[in-house]
Amino acid sequence: MPELPEVETIARGVNKRVRGDRIVHVWFASHRNLFKTPAERQSTGLEGRTFVSVHRTGKHIVCELAALPHGKRNRRTTVQPDAQWIVHLGMTGRLLVTTPDAPLAAHTHARLELESGKEVRFVDPRRFGKLDYRDLKDDEKFNAAGAEPLAIERDEFAALFRGRRLAIKAALLNQSLLSGVGNIYADESLYRAGIRPKRMAGRLTRAELERLRASLKTVLEQAISLGGSSVSDYVDAEGMRGFFQLEHCVYLRTGEPCRRCKTPIRRIILAGRGTHFCPQCQR
DNA sequence: CATTTCACCTGGTGGC
DNA sequence: TGCCACCAGGTGAAAT
């Protein structure tokens, strides 16, 4: 479900609500492929640790944790984290901070009870999501494979696609090149840059690549400011929907008129994914 | 190596 | 109402 703007929105919301709070009890459902690190190791590591901060890297939510002496709530960032809990939401995952009495949603696979009484809940009907845990004295700190689309500059961006013989949309979706771009924002950024999704990545001109980099950054920033895109069921950490779906120009607008030229939006399959574009505005 | 296809899951929608 | 095909925000392993 969630791409960079949705994950960023959720991470900010969770951060605001759990920072400084201690995990007192953890419950996990027994779905084997949900856990990158075994569930027992995760719950042992999580219980007793305090949330130092929560942030986004690519499409991952990274919770920085520390084992602090009891009774010492600390909402400052000066505490050195000694562990990380990493949540990937897959296609339909939600990470919610609730009160303990909030009704338990179907497909709730993780519950973290906090000292304050709040709960962090991971809900994911399709179970494409993943939970990972790192103890920083044994494991490497989590790092996204690809570059950060909001920070990457012109030359580095252009270098990602040089010599690549695949469609530019497929390249945008490749998380080891850029991390955080998914199906919605790949289509929307290509539309805004006036580039057809099928164009071979390595054949784009310098000017087109720069237009794409700028469009991608702008569309991601606008989406973050509107709380992400709620196409069917995405909600943030408080259960609130986003509003960027109202700004979509092509995604899920098959047959509807292009906002710029009125030509019907076309849908094709590319890289196994539904792909939407304006045949007039995108060349 | 780079690129493509498929499996992993559940649920919603629309046609008959 | 039921059944079926198709669609959906993602990714990593296997095949080419």
Side-chain angles (χ1 to χ4, degrees):
Chain A
M1 130 230 282
E3 307 180 29
L4 186 153
E6 292 76 31
V7 179
E8 176 71 30
T9 304
I10 294 167
R12 288 181 188 178
V14 173
N15 179 61
K16 201 163 59 179
R17 280 162 194 77
V18 306
R19 178 188 278 259
D21 215 336
R22 188 193 307 273
I23 302 160
V24 293
H25 184 252
V26 174
W27 172 87
F28 285 135
S30 51
H31 293 120
R32 275 207 143 267
N33 42 10
L34 173 61
F35 304 98
K36 294 194 88 168
T37 298
E40 299 73 28
R41 191 167 117 80
Q42 296 206 28
S43 50
T44 305
L46 289 169
E47 282 179 4
R49 279 198 160 83
T50 297
F51 283 97
V52 175
S53 65
V54 179
H55 55 97
R56 174 199 64 80
T57 300
K59 292 178 194 169
H60 297 263
I61 299 166
V62 181
C63 304
E64 305 286 349
L65 306 164
L68 299 179
H70 248 290
K72 282 220 168 169
R73 287 237 197 139
N74 196 329
R75 294 182 67 84
R76 266 160 277 165
T77 43
T78 50
V79 179
Q80 199 60 29
D82 60 10
Q84 294 176 315
W85 190 49
I86 301 127
V87 179
H88 192 288
L89 299 169
M91 205 87 126
T92 52
R94 296 179 177 194
L95 195 64
L96 301 162
V97 183
T98 69
T99 54
D101 57 307
L104 206 61
H107 310 290
T108 300
H109 303 131
R111 298 173 72 178
L112 276 54
E113 297 174 31
L114 308 183
E115 203 166 40
S116 65
K118 285 183 268 196
E119 281 193 22
V120 177
R121 296 181 183 177
F122 175 69
V123 181
D124 184 14
R126 277 178 87 175
R127 284 194 264 132
F128 287 172
K130 291 270 179 293
L131 302 179
D132 192 10
Y133 177 82
R134 314 245 173 149
D135 189 321
L136 297 181
K137 90 176 130 49
D138 309 323
D139 309 320
E140 270 192 39
K141 224 163 97 179
F142 177 80
N143 265 309
E148 173 59 48
L150 293 177
I152 192 167
E153 305 214 30
R154 186 186 56 188
D155 293 352
E156 196 194 342
F157 187 83
L160 292 178
F161 305 105
R162 201 166 293 143
R164 297 203 174 262
R165 305 181 55 78
L166 78 169
I168 183 62
K169 165 148 174 183
L172 285 173
L173 292 176
N174 182 340
Q175 300 298 298
S176 57
L177 297 178
L178 283 172
S179 40
V181 183
N183 208 32
I184 296 175
Y185 300 100
D187 282 3
E188 292 296 324
S189 61
L190 286 166
Y191 171 82
R192 285 159 173 78
I195 298 168
R196 287 231 186 177
K198 263 192 176 169
R199 290 276 304 283
M200 193 174 287
R203 295 246 174 87
L204 294 182
T205 67
R206 199 79 184 163
E208 286 173 326
L209 285 169
E210 182 52 13
R211 236 157 57 215
L212 180 57
R213 186 193 66 79
S215 303
L216 179 60
K217 182 160 187 269
T218 306
V219 79
L220 293 172
E221 286 169 346
Q222 285 175 356
I224 291 170
S225 74
L226 292 179
S229 299
S230 288
V231 169
S232 60
D233 60 359
Y234 156 77
V235 291
D236 69 13
E238 296 166 87
M240 301 299 287
R241 290 167 62 83
F243 294 95
F244 193 72
Q245 66 280 9
L246 303 173
E247 306 297 321
H248 291 176
C249 294
V250 288
Y251 183 75
L252 291 190
R253 293 194 67 243
T254 312
E256 291 177 49
C258 168
R259 296 193 195 284
R260 196 183 291 151
C261 75
K262 310 294 178 214
T263 303
I265 299 304
R266 193 177 293 173
R267 178 181 186 274
I268 58 172
I269 301 290
L270 204 165
R273 318 293 303 277
T275 297
H276 315 77
F277 67 100
C278 171
Q280 178 68 34
C281 297
Q282 293 173 258
R283 300 292 174 170

